[in-house]
Amino acid sequence: MTYKLLFLDIDGTILTPDDQIQESTKRAVAEVQKQGVEVFLATGRPLHEISHIGKELNVQSFIGYNGAFTVYRGREILKEPMNPDLVQNFVHTAKHHGHELVMYTREKNVLSSFDSPAMKDFIQKFHLQKNELFSYDIIDQVLGMTILNLADRDVSLYEKDDLIYLSQVNIEGLAQCYDVIREKVNKGKAVKAILNYLGVPKESAIAFGDAMNDKEMLSIVGEGFAMGNADPNLLPYAKHQTTDVTNSGVYHGLKKLGLVE
């Protein structure tokens, strides 16, 4: 099999809990790039906050905001803002129940507050820099959203229909944080758009992930890998399971396919 595309989640997949990229991961990515494989970073993060990771891995193609915005070598392939009515409803629900929101536009992170402990922890963990306080003038520009300070029993407040589900952030210390995933806008839909745009069959694509926001992506490619540290609920969606992010998971997965030594 000739592989053409590699999709890599960031947190818990290439980034370790101490925000490092292992040398084995860097070498593996560089090796497949030498073989002509186009590498995409596929993340729930906003693209304006991950340029340094792209530079470190020499990656120029991205899926951001859990699939709402896709760029291939500087060319915009896909852009799907959230419904403004949905955003407004979530803002009201969060305020009523004491939750916090981080909303992502193309250029900035829009926060429901700056001062809560949950928000401070989230900003610190993800090193968010381009932050401003929420105002309704951005309500039609929101590409993605994370809800903070959310108890398990509160998830149903936001999952009102089959078109939205919440995916728990699979990072230590952030168990009460959930990404908002749209059924018709997710990493898998973005991967499909890229496959169609580039004319690449799914059998020639590989993906690695660790959380439930990766399930569509792992399902749609020919070789889907769940990390050893993955949410157990993700495993049915993956063809393979590799080792933990702290134990060269990406390297071992690519080795299994014969792409690295």
Side-chain angles (χ1 to χ4, degrees), residues 38-196:
E38 181 73 24
V39 179
F40 283 76
L41 298 183
T43 179
R45 294 199 194 200
L47 297 190
H48 57 262
E49 297 284 3
I50 65 166
S51 58
H52 62 292
I53 300 175
K55 289 178 182 178
E56 190 168 2
L57 293 174
N58 192 31
V59 171
Q60 294 88 39
S61 299
F62 305 91
I63 296 171
Y65 315 88
N66 282 310
F69 195 86
T70 299
V71 178
Y72 168 66
R73 292 185 172 266
R75 281 172 275 174
E76 183 179 314
I77 306 301
L78 183 69
K79 185 178 182 180
E80 294 281 356
M82 298 182 76
N83 185 310
D85 291 336
L86 177 69
V87 175
Q88 181 169 295
N89 179 266
F90 277 22
V91 168
H92 291 166
T93 301
K95 185 176 182 179
H96 181 73
H97 292 278
H99 305 146
E100 300 283 358
L101 296 178
V102 181
M103 292 157 276
Y104 311 105
T105 72
R106 184 69 182 91
E107 295 85 18
K108 56 194 174 185
N109 317 305
V110 182
L111 315 180
S112 58
S113 77
F114 281 108
D115 300 328
S116 76
M119 186 66 74
K120 289 180 178 179
D121 287 346
F122 192 85
I123 291 171
Q124 181 179 29
K125 179 60 182 177
F126 287 107
H127 310 292
L128 300 183
Q129 301 294 321
K130 299 180 180 181
N131 306 318
E132 68 176 48
L133 196 62
F134 172 76
S135 65
Y136 280 97
D137 61 355
I138 60 89
I139 204 163
D140 61 346
Q141 303 170 38
V142 177
L143 290 163
M145 183 186 299
T146 306
I147 307 173
L148 316 184
N149 200 32
L150 193 65
D152 290 345
R153 65 179 181 275
D154 296 330
V155 170
S156 62
L157 295 171
Y158 299 91
E159 293 183 335
K160 292 295 188 181
D161 56 52
D162 293 337
L163 300 179
I164 294 287
Y165 73 89
L166 302 190
S167 174
Q168 190 174 42
V169 176
N170 191 36
I171 295 178
E172 185 177 355
L174 296 181
Q176 292 183 314
C177 301
Y178 289 78
D179 286 336
V180 177
I181 311 296
R182 291 173 276 170
E183 188 66 29
K184 295 183 178 180
V185 181
N186 52 61
K187 292 184 185 182
K189 297 290 185 180
V191 168
K192 185 176 181 180
I194 292 163
L195 294 175
N196 291 338

